[in-house]
Structures are given as structure tokens and as C-alpha cells.
Amino acid sequence: MSLTDEYQALRHAAGVVDRSDRGAVLVTGPDAASFLQSLVSQDLDALADGGGGHSLLLTPQGKLDVDFRLLHVGDEWWCDCEAGFGAQLAASLNRFKIRVEVDVIDRSDDWGQLVVRGPETRARIEAATGVAPPPGAHDHVAWGASRRLVRTDWPGVEGIDVVGSRGAIADARRVLVEAGVAECGVDAYEIVRVEAGVTRQGLDTDEKTIPQEAFLELDAVSFTKGCFLGQELVCRIDTRGHVNRFLRGVRVDAGDPFSVGAEVLAEGKVIGALTSVAASPELGPIALAMVRRQVEPPAEVVVRGPDGERLARIEALPLVT
């Protein structure tokens, strides 16, 4: 299929993308739950077996270490994160293993993930697997012995992720494609992701990011759970402070997309830079950008790159609902 056809499947039907490049970490042992609860930003006490959540591991200074998802599977905690960050998550957690019975294992090399997106996702998944998709955000159910179906809706986009061993994921991909789910590539996935305003660590966020800058606190931080690593800064900002920049959407006037790193200017002053870029068949050139808080959407700006300048608009996320 063409890139446009793949995009149409992900946006208007159902498409599957292999994201087995993502990092994966397994946390087990008698003290696994209490160990994680003392460190991560999500409240694990609220997550029963079959539940899951978006969470952050922060530095003691409240900056982002690893942005990840965790799933409560029996006595285990399955964690997955952006490509290249599995080893970092495992190493960071292992640094805090002091007098606890916990095993933290980086299993990125033998773990896989499929991402299914589109308004027909849940119906196609149930028809293909015979398993009813889970009801709530990050909830998950078994599909066979070594993989899970995880509810992963994006703003304006219905979704299910399939996580499990590489062999089980390869088989799942075959089953879904044979059931009529379109096989799509990462380029089409990126367009839909940028439209939905979903961040990727290493692109839109980094080690300097404070959670509130990318609105990560909305579903990844519990302000009632008690102590966690980096809590002081995050809670201080929530109660009586503010951050100096925010992640925003950008729509550029017609033409080719700018490159990541292109500057965003308002009234002749640089206010930020593009972090993710895409060419949407429906919206044209779009991007995510981290920009100064003083420029609130909607706002007319200029994007400047090596090939020149074009008018653009700062918009609130998501760009598509």
C-alpha cells in the first residue's frame, strides 16, 4: 500500500504497525509492587491484576528519566517504553534495589509489540482473536499464554496494543493481517501520532523535560499516592508554580514539512523548535514543538529552517479529534 493508503487505514479503518523496537522491562519478586510504588509517578495500589497505567520514572530533580507504561500481570509488572530506553529503565530501577527482593530484567531483545489503530480496531481485534477487548485505558487481557491485548486509545483514535514474546507477536501479526487488518509502516504511524499529539521520548521529550511541559502529568502522575522519586518539583509546580514552555501542535502553510529542529518565531523572536514533523494527507505539513508559554494557541508564528521561512499556526493538541 502507499503511505496515503496506510494512513487512511490507521485513521479511518484499522491498521497494524510493528513496534517491536520498543524497550521492555520485567519487574518481579515479592517486593516488586512496593518497590515500584516507592519510585514511579503512577499509583500502583490502584492497579489490580489486568490493570495498567502510563507512568514516569523521574530523576530526584523532577526531570524525565524514562516515560513508560506498566501492566499488572499476576505477580509480575510488564513495562514498555520508547525504543532505546529499555536498558536505561532497567539500569535506573536497579540502582534503587537496596534490601528488597526484586528482579529487574531488560527483555527488549526478546519482546515485541504491535500497535493497532483506527475506528474499527476493537471490532476487528475481537473478530480475529475471539477475545473481547479490555474496557478501560491501559486495561489488558490475555490472548494466549504469552501475549496481552492492551487498550491504548489516543485522542481521536481508537487503539489496541498487542504485547508479548517475539514469537507470539509474529503469530499475532499474521492472524490480524489475515483477518483484514491493514499492514502499515512506521511513517504512517508517525503521521497519526503527531495529529493526536502523542509524545515520543527522545524526540518530543528528553532528560531536561519537566512532566507538565508535555502534559504528561494528566495521566502519568498521581498527586495523591504519596512519595515518589522527583515528587517535590512536580507537586510544587502543580500547586503554586508554572513551567516556562509547553508542547504544542504546529500547522505550516502548504509545502514540504520542515525538519526537526526548525525554529519557531513569534514577533521576530525564537520561541521554540519543532520536535516531530509529518506530512498529513488531510492537514498538510504538521509538527509538534516545544515553545515558550507566553505564546498561547491559537497564534500566528513563523517556522524557519535551512530552506527558508513559512507562516504557521501554533495550535492546542490534539490537532485532530
Side-chain angles (χ1 to χ4, degrees), residues 249-258 263-268 274 283-287 299-305 307-315:
V250 180
R251 293 187 63 177
V252 183
D253 281 357
D256 294 331
F258 281 90
E263 295 176 327
V264 182
L265 295 86
E267 298 180 350
L274 304 187
L283 300 182
I286 57 174
E300 299 296 320
V301 295
V302 170
V303 175
R304 181 171 66 195
D307 298 326
E309 300 181 351
R310 289 208 301 276
L311 294 176
R313 291 169 302 285
I314 295 289
E315 297 189 358

Side-chain angles (χ1 to χ4, degrees), residues 7-303:
Y7 166 84
Q8 293 295 338
L10 292 166
R11 172 55 70 183
H12 301 296
V16 58
V17 181
D18 194 330
R19 287 299 319 275
S20 295
D21 60 327
R22 283 177 61 81
V25 172
L26 175 65
V27 183
T28 62
D31 298 328
S34 59
F35 170 72
L36 289 171
Q37 177 75 340
S38 69
L39 296 174
V40 307
S41 63
Q42 187 59 258
D43 185 2
L44 274 62
D45 288 346
L47 301 181
D49 186 8
H54 181 194
S55 189
L56 309 173
L57 183 63
L58 302 174
T59 68
Q61 295 74 35
K63 304 291 182 68
L64 182 63
D65 187 348
V66 183
D67 181 348
F68 68 104
R69 171 176 58 192
L70 48 80
L71 307 177
H72 189 182
V73 185
D75 295 329
E76 301 177 339
W77 294 90
W78 296 8
C79 307
D80 65 277
C81 53
E82 193 51 63
F85 288 91
Q88 181 172 321
L89 177 58
S92 294
L93 290 174
N94 274 314
R95 280 199 295 271
F96 291 96
K97 281 177 52 179
I98 302 173
R99 295 189 296 275
V100 291
E101 293 187 61
V102 174
D103 291 313
V104 179
I105 303 167
D106 177 8
R107 57 178 178 180
S108 304
D109 290 341
D110 58 9
W111 211 243
Q113 181 171 322
L114 301 177
V115 171
V116 187
R117 297 290 183 271
E120 300 174 9
T121 290
R122 291 198 290 275
R124 294 288 187 97
I125 289 280
E126 187 166 5
T129 67
V131 178
H138 306 295
D139 288 347
H140 50 95
V141 293
W143 175 21
S146 56
R147 62 191 172 208
R148 313 287 294 185
L149 301 176
V150 188
R151 180 74 173 268
T152 318
D153 295 342
W154 287 349
V157 187
E158 185 177 301
I160 295 286
D161 290 351
V162 187
V163 298
S165 66
R166 287 289 174 100
I169 290 301
D171 179 66
R173 183 175 183 174
R174 175 189 57 78
V175 170
L176 295 178
V177 171
E178 289 178 355
V181 179
E183 198 164 11
C184 303
V186 173
D187 289 344
Y189 165 92
E190 280 294 286
I191 298 172
V192 177
R193 178 187 72 83
V194 174
E195 289 179 343
V198 175
T199 63
R200 284 185 67 177
Q201 187 173 4
L203 293 177
D204 310 299
T205 61
D206 58 22
E207 71 281 358
K208 298 177 183 178
T209 302
I210 297 170
Q212 284 94 334
E213 293 175 336
F215 304 102
L216 298 175
E217 85 285 2
L218 296 181
D219 71 337
V221 175
S222 169
F223 291 98
T224 60
K225 65 169 283 186
C227 294
F228 58 88
L229 196 63
Q231 179 195 36
E232 182 178 356
L233 174 66
V234 174
C235 291
R236 186 169 68 245
I237 290 172
D238 182 66
T239 56
R240 60 179 185 274
H242 63 77
V243 292
N244 293 323
R245 57 182 190 161
F246 287 111
L247 189 74
R248 301 297 192 189
V250 180
R251 293 187 63 177
V252 183
D253 281 357
D256 294 331
F258 281 90
S259 299
V260 168
E263 295 176 327
V264 182
L265 295 86
E267 298 180 350
K269 296 180 179 180
V270 176
I271 60 165
L274 304 187
T275 58
S276 290
V277 298
S280 168
E282 297 182 0
L283 300 182
I286 57 174
L288 303 180
M290 195 68 77
V291 300
R292 299 288 297 179
R293 65 185 293 268
Q294 288 83 0
V295 180
E296 297 186 357
E300 299 296 320
V301 295
V302 170
V303 175

